[in-house]
């Protein structure tokens, strides 16, 4: 009779995995997870309902054997659930020892899941305590039992509730694969392949893979289209375009995309240095347009794993405050060695002629690396959500600082205007008229999609004007602010027409990108003159060894240079030489002695 299946199985010692004087461990014949064992007493006790306080030492022995079998099988105790079924089906009381993955072809019915993942499963400790206090263990009333059998299929490893068992099994397999290394994965696949479950699960994983590839390809195509679609282009030259990032990972996130068909940064050679110069000029331009964020808050560089199969350079603000920042890898791709700062790429190309790639192992490791370190203070957390909440506080601080500054400026402006009105009353009427005319033309051109005259030129060079009052506008950087934070439309200054107007000496030549000297938009306007030797080509904000990037260590180290995974370089490690000029920054560890001599566009940035 099936009720005695277990008793029959233990009758044959060949089925014993381990045993003691009083108990035996066997493998569950229909395992509901990757590891599933049963511990039974040698004494003839038919079920949990026959246990009393008297059996506590025996129970302890069963538990000890449970630990032993996990150890014998080289598994981790913490990965296991150990306990009894509240409504057992087979005779001879037995303790289940089961791994929590629940990936198994034998998991075929909802009951198989609920009997281990609801109150239908009585953990060892619970039964022990019950016997201790009540001297017996009672059956559940039938209605309670049926209610538990009918519980929703909630994953035991996350919040997910699945609509049916196949969906749950697919989901559980994903959890298991995520936790497994390459070799373990292949074992899991082989197991699935040789099992009867083969069709179901293989189908599911195969389908998932195809689905993912399809989605990826679609996004790529979308992005390719975007480079060609003038409506998405913020700045265009003959060699590159600037577009807004589709899934911005910070408040300001742009890509400078090369028109040339270069797959990614690792395909660059020293011949591409002029292209990089040019891309940097476009980056400087787009940063210059972000009127209310100083250039030091931007990072410029390349991702080690460019999803997009066309060379593209990221220009991203360092708040990293965005709804699209959803995964640990999103954070790590900008805040670990997976991000190659422009300056470093440039130096490596210049001195070595190539950029070394990361190995697959290094890449995978960096992608999922935790804890996550805040890029603005010493905070760290293994959880992205915690980091995001933390980043929000930084963002708030900066915002209120900026608002206060803006209010002060407005007050000063108002006072100035009041003074002017007092002193220039006679001409007031005519000048006001003039002002109104300018204002209305400027408003008109901002409202229309296709501006005319000088505005048209500006429009094509710089892209559509950003209406910061309109939170829905595609170019509004605050578009990504979560609504629940209650951040209302910002009252930042509207970009003025003059800001977008072509520079007089460049008018009519949209391909010239020298920053405007001493103009509001030039992010380098306050920079001291660049030193000739040993200095960085770009401002301090771009210096990866400076405070903006203290958590980052050099990646892509050119051969014979600093080891990639060496100890962190402490900040300010190289003190300034006594005769070194004040404004010369300490040399970064990877920077060769005479690096500073090659700076073709140096004068432009002064
Ligand atoms: P329960 O619902 O607690 O009585 O569970 C009985 C367990 O015994 C189930 O997990 C079955 O997969 C397992 N089982 C059934 N028949 C055998 C057998 N002949 N040998 C080993 N395990 C078995
Ligand atoms: Zn889950």
């Amino acid at each position: 009779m099936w009720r005695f299946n277990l008793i029959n199985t233990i009758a044959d010692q060949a089925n014993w995995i381990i045993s003691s004087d009083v108990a035996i461990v066997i493998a569950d014949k229909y395992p509901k997870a990757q590891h599933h064992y049963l511990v039974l007493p040698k004494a003839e006790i038919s079920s949990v309902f026959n246990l009393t306080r008297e059996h506590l030492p025996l129970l302890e022995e069963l538990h000890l054997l449970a630990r032993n079998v996990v150890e014998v099988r080289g598994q981790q105790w913490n990965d296991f659930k150990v306990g009894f079924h509240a409504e057992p089906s087979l005779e001879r009381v037995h303790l289940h020892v089961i791994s929590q993955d629940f990936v198994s072809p034998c998991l075929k019915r909802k009951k198989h899941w609920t009997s281990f993942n609801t109150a239908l499963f009585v953990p060892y400790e619970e039964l022990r305590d019950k016997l201790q206090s009540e001297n017996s263990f009672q059956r559940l009333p039938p209605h309670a039992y049926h209610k538990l059998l009918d519980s929703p299929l909630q994953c035991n490893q996350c919040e997910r509730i699945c609509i049916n068992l196949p969906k749950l099994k697919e989901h559980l397999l994903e959890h298991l694969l995520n936790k497994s290394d390459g070799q373990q994965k292949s074992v899991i696949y082989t197991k699935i392949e040789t099992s009867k479950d083969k069709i179901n699960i293989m189908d599911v994983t195969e389908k998932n893979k195809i689905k993912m590839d399809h989605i990826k390809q679609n996004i790529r195509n979308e992005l390719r289209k975007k480079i060609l679609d003038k409506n998405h282009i913020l700045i265009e030259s003959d060699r590159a375009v600037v577009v807004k990032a589709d899934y911005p990972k910070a408040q300001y996130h742009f890509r400078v995309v090369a028109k040339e068909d270069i797959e990614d940064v690792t395909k660059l050679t020293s011949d591409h240095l002029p292209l990089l110069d040019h891309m940097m000029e476009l980056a400087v331009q787009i940063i210059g347009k972000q009127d209310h964020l100083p250039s030091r808050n931007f990072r410029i560089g390349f991702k080690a794993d460019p999803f997009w199969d066309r060379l593209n350079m990221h220009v991203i603000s360092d708040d990293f405050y965005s709804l699209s920042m959803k995964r640990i890898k999103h954070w790590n791709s900008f805040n670990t060695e997976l991000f190659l700062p422009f300056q470093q790429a440039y130096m490596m190309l210049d001195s070595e002629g190539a950029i070394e790639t990361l190995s697959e192992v290094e890449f995978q490791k960096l992608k999922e690396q935790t804890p996550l370190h805040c890029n603005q203070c010493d905070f760290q957390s293994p959880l992205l959500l915690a980091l995001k909440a933390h980043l929000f506080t930084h963002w708030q601080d900066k915002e209120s600082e900026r608002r206060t500054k803006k209010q002060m400026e407005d007050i000063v402006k108002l006072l100035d205007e009041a003074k002017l009105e007092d002193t220039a009353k006679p001409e007031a009427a005519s000048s006001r008229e003039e002002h109104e005319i300018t204002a209305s033309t400027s408003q008109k051109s901002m409202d229309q999609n296709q501006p005319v005259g000088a505005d048209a030129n500006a429009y094509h060079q710089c892209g559509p004007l950003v209406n910061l009052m309109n939170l829905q506008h595609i170019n509004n950087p605050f578009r990504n602010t979560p609504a629940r934070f209650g951040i209302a439309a910002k009252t930042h200054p509207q970009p003025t027409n003059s800001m977008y107007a072509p520079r007089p000496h460049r008018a009519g030549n949209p391909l010239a990108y020298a920053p405007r000297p001493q103009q509001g938009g030039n992010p380098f306007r306050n920079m001291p003159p660049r030193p000739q030797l040993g200095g960085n080509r770009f401002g301090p904000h771009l210096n990866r060894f400076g405070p903006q990037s203290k958590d980052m260590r050099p990646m892509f180290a050119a051969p014979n240079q600093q080891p990639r995974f060496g100890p962190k370089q402490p900040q300010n490690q190289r003190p300034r030489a006594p005769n070194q000029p004040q404004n010369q920054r300490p040399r970064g560890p990877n920077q060769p002695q005479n690096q500073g001599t090659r700076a073709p566009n140096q004068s432009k940035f002064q």
Side-chain angles (χ1 to χ4, degrees):
M1 215 165 112
W2 63 272
R3 227 157 27 97
F4 304 119
N5 273 357
L6 292 182
I7 297 173
N8 294 336
T9 302
I10 56 168
D12 183 354
Q13 287 205 11
N15 294 324
W16 300 7
I17 300 175
I18 50 171
S19 66
S20 73
D21 288 349
V22 293
I24 300 154
V25 184
I26 56 169
D28 193 296
K29 195 171 170 186
Y30 310 102
K32 307 300 183 296
Q34 295 286 299
H35 297 271
H36 189 179
Y37 312 103
L38 302 173
V39 192
L40 303 91
K42 286 181 177 170
E44 293 178 11
I45 306 168
S46 53
S47 83
V48 272
F49 308 119
N50 301 108
L51 295 174
T52 63
R53 210 171 277 143
E54 226 174 77
H55 296 106
L56 284 172
L58 173 68
L59 223 57
E60 215 172 289
E61 182 76 14
L62 300 186
H63 193 251
L64 193 71
L65 279 186
R67 272 187 169 274
N68 288 347
V69 74
V70 169
E71 208 177 301
V72 165
R73 291 291 152 106
Q75 297 302 306
Q76 296 292 319
W77 178 246
N78 286 341
D79 294 341
F80 281 77
K81 267 189 129 160
V82 179
F84 301 85
H85 275 152
E87 196 63 51
S89 51
L90 301 188
E91 283 209 6
R92 184 66 61 90
V93 63
H94 52 274
L95 177 69
H96 287 270
V97 184
I98 186 164
S99 58
Q100 310 220 36
D101 52 82
F102 292 99
V103 170
S104 163
C106 297
L107 192 92
K108 285 180 177 155
R109 299 199 289 132
K110 189 174 180 183
K111 185 187 170 184
H112 293 155
W113 172 258
T114 47
S115 71
F116 285 101
N117 292 285
T118 64
L120 291 174
F121 189 78
V122 185
Y124 162 81
E125 291 79 6
E126 198 180 312
L127 183 80
R128 183 195 59 195
D129 297 348
K130 197 114 189 163
L131 291 180
Q132 189 91 274
S133 58
E134 294 171 24
N135 199 27
S136 71
F137 179 76
Q138 303 296 324
R139 221 176 262 280
L140 280 171
H143 70 273
Y145 171 68
H146 286 106
K147 202 170 163 210
L148 285 168
L149 273 186
D150 211 29
S151 307
L153 292 168
Q154 164 139 33
C155 172
N156 61 337
Q157 293 154 72
C158 73
E159 304 290 303
R160 174 84 68 96
I161 295 172
C162 297
I163 51 163
N164 55 34
L165 195 64
K167 285 266 177 287
L168 176 66
K169 290 183 71 166
E170 172 195 343
H171 178 74
L172 292 167
L173 178 63
E174 273 173 39
H175 273 301
L176 181 64
L177 291 173
N178 284 342
K179 281 186 199 154
S180 315
D181 62 29
Q183 200 189 349
Q184 288 166 334
K185 268 185 194 155
S186 71
V187 172
I188 296 164
Y189 278 127
T190 320
K191 267 193 188 173
I192 294 167
E193 247 166 52
T194 50
S195 73
K196 287 191 187 135
D197 223 11
K198 184 175 160 182
I199 304 151
N200 283 343
I201 295 189
M202 279 316 280
D203 253 17
V204 165
T205 44
E206 223 11 71
K207 256 191 254 160
N208 264 359
K209 205 176 153 289
I210 295 167
K211 203 164 77 189
M212 277 316 292
D213 288 350
H214 188 71
I215 292 171
K216 274 188 187 174
Q217 199 48 51
N218 265 352
I219 297 174
R220 273 194 188 138
N221 289 344
E222 270 303 300
L223 295 173
R224 268 180 186 279
K225 270 188 244 158
K226 263 183 196 146
I227 327 179
L228 301 173
D229 181 355
K230 300 275 179 233
N231 287 327
H232 286 283
I233 295 174
L234 301 175
I235 304 177
E236 180 167 17
S237 76
D238 54 344
R239 302 195 69 182
V241 297
V242 180
V243 292
K244 201 171 181 303
D246 293 71
Y247 299 96
K249 300 299 184 294
Q251 289 232 309
Y252 302 81
H253 189 179
F254 307 96
R255 293 167 192 270
V256 183
V257 191
K259 286 187 171 175
E260 214 172 304
D261 210 349
I262 304 167
E263 214 175 294
D264 62 57
V265 70
T266 63
K267 309 288 185 301
L268 291 174
T269 68
S270 50
D271 293 343
H272 293 108
L273 286 173
L275 174 66
L276 284 197
D277 275 327
H278 179 69
M279 287 170 80
M280 177 48 107
E281 284 167 15
L282 296 194
V284 168
Q285 277 213 2
I286 196 72
I287 290 174
K289 285 187 208 310
Q290 313 316 311
D291 222 15
H292 39 276
L293 194 69
S295 57
R296 66 168 180 277
N297 289 115
F298 282 89
R299 287 204 190 164
I300 304 176
F302 303 88
K303 285 215 286 198
D305 175 32
F307 169 76
W308 206 355
D309 47 9
R310 175 71 65 94
L311 179 70
N312 69 108
M313 183 171 88
H314 291 263
V315 178
I316 185 165
S317 56
D318 64 1
D319 51 85
F320 293 107
Y321 174 50
S322 155
L323 279 186
S324 301
M325 178 70 78
K326 284 182 178 159
R327 295 182 208 289
I328 284 181
K329 70 175 180 194
H330 293 157
W331 173 261
N332 283 345
S333 65
F334 288 102
N335 292 284
T336 66
E337 294 158 40
L338 290 173
F339 191 72
L340 175 64
F342 173 87
Q343 189 188 12
Q344 205 185 337
Y346 197 99
M347 273 175 0
M348 284 165 65
L349 282 181
D350 196 21
S351 58
E352 305 301 328
I355 290 167
E356 206 186 302
T357 40
L358 281 176
S359 76
E360 183 61 21
V361 175
E362 286 167 331
F363 175 69
Q364 291 300 341
K365 200 176 124 200
L366 286 167
K367 232 166 81 171
E368 298 302 332
Q369 181 176 283
T370 52
L372 309 168
H373 295 263
C374 173
N375 61 329
Q376 293 157 72
C377 73
D378 288 336
F379 177 87
Q380 63 177 63
S381 168
L383 300 174
L384 184 63
L385 263 180
L387 178 70
K388 283 185 76 166
H390 173 83
L391 287 172
F392 177 61
T393 61
H394 278 302
W395 183 86
Q396 264 181 325
D397 290 350
K398 276 192 199 157
E399 267 306 289
S400 68
E401 217 173 84
R402 202 163 62 194
R403 257 199 299 274
T404 317
K405 211 175 135 207
K406 168 81 175 56
Q407 276 163 1
M408 287 307 291
E409 280 170 12
D410 285 352
I411 292 169
V412 170
K413 214 167 112 192
L414 277 176
L415 286 173
D416 280 355
E417 275 173 12
K419 257 190 229 158
L420 271 178
E421 261 180 37
D422 259 3
T423 50
K425 273 220 169 95
E427 291 123 70
S430 66
S431 84
R432 197 177 302 131
E433 221 166 63
E434 209 173 273
H435 180 78
E436 273 161 13
I437 292 167
T438 336
S440 74
T441 356
S442 107
Q443 192 50 49
K444 216 161 116 197
S445 65
M446 277 165 68
D447 290 345
Q448 284 168 358
N449 281 341
Q450 288 298 321
V452 288
D455 287 339
N457 203 353
Y459 182 92
H460 290 301
Q461 271 192 60
C462 315
L465 303 185
V466 180
N467 179 359
L468 292 163
M469 296 301 286
N470 178 4
L471 279 179
Q472 300 312 317
H473 195 282
I474 188 167
N475 285 332
N476 189 336
F478 292 94
R479 196 164 60 105
N480 300 311
T481 306
R484 69 193 159 82
F485 290 130
I487 291 149
K490 298 290 154 192
T491 49
H492 297 294
Q494 289 289 342
T496 58
N497 258 7
S498 66
M499 190 184 146
Y500 286 89
R503 280 150 282 151
H505 64 291
R506 301 279 182 188
N509 177 8
L511 304 182
Y513 288 102
R516 291 142 285 183
Q518 302 307 319
Q519 204 176 316
N522 181 353
F524 296 105
R525 65 189 185 281
N526 296 325
M527 292 276 299
R530 196 166 308 281
Q532 284 305 304
L533 285 171
N536 292 308
R537 290 188 69 241
F538 300 99
H541 55 293
L542 299 173
N543 178 0
R544 68 188 309 276
F545 307 111
Q548 288 301 313
S549 51
K550 65 189 162 108
D551 287 328
M552 292 166 68
R553 280 167 295 145
M555 174 194 55
F556 297 102
N560 310 324
Q561 288 186 353
Q562 173 95 359
R564 230 186 283 171
F565 291 96
K568 255 190 194 180
Q569 281 289 336
Q571 271 183 59
N572 303 328
Q573 207 206 6
R574 286 162 192 262
R576 230 196 326 270
N579 54 357
Q580 207 170 347
Q582 275 290 327
N583 55 10
Q584 186 168 347
R585 299 187 60 83
R587 212 180 8 254
N590 268 3
Q591 207 168 344
Q593 282 281 340
N594 294 323
Q595 189 52 45
T597 48
R598 196 199 181 287
N601 292 337
Q602 204 170 40
S603 58
K604 286 185 190 174
F605 295 96
Q606 288 178 2

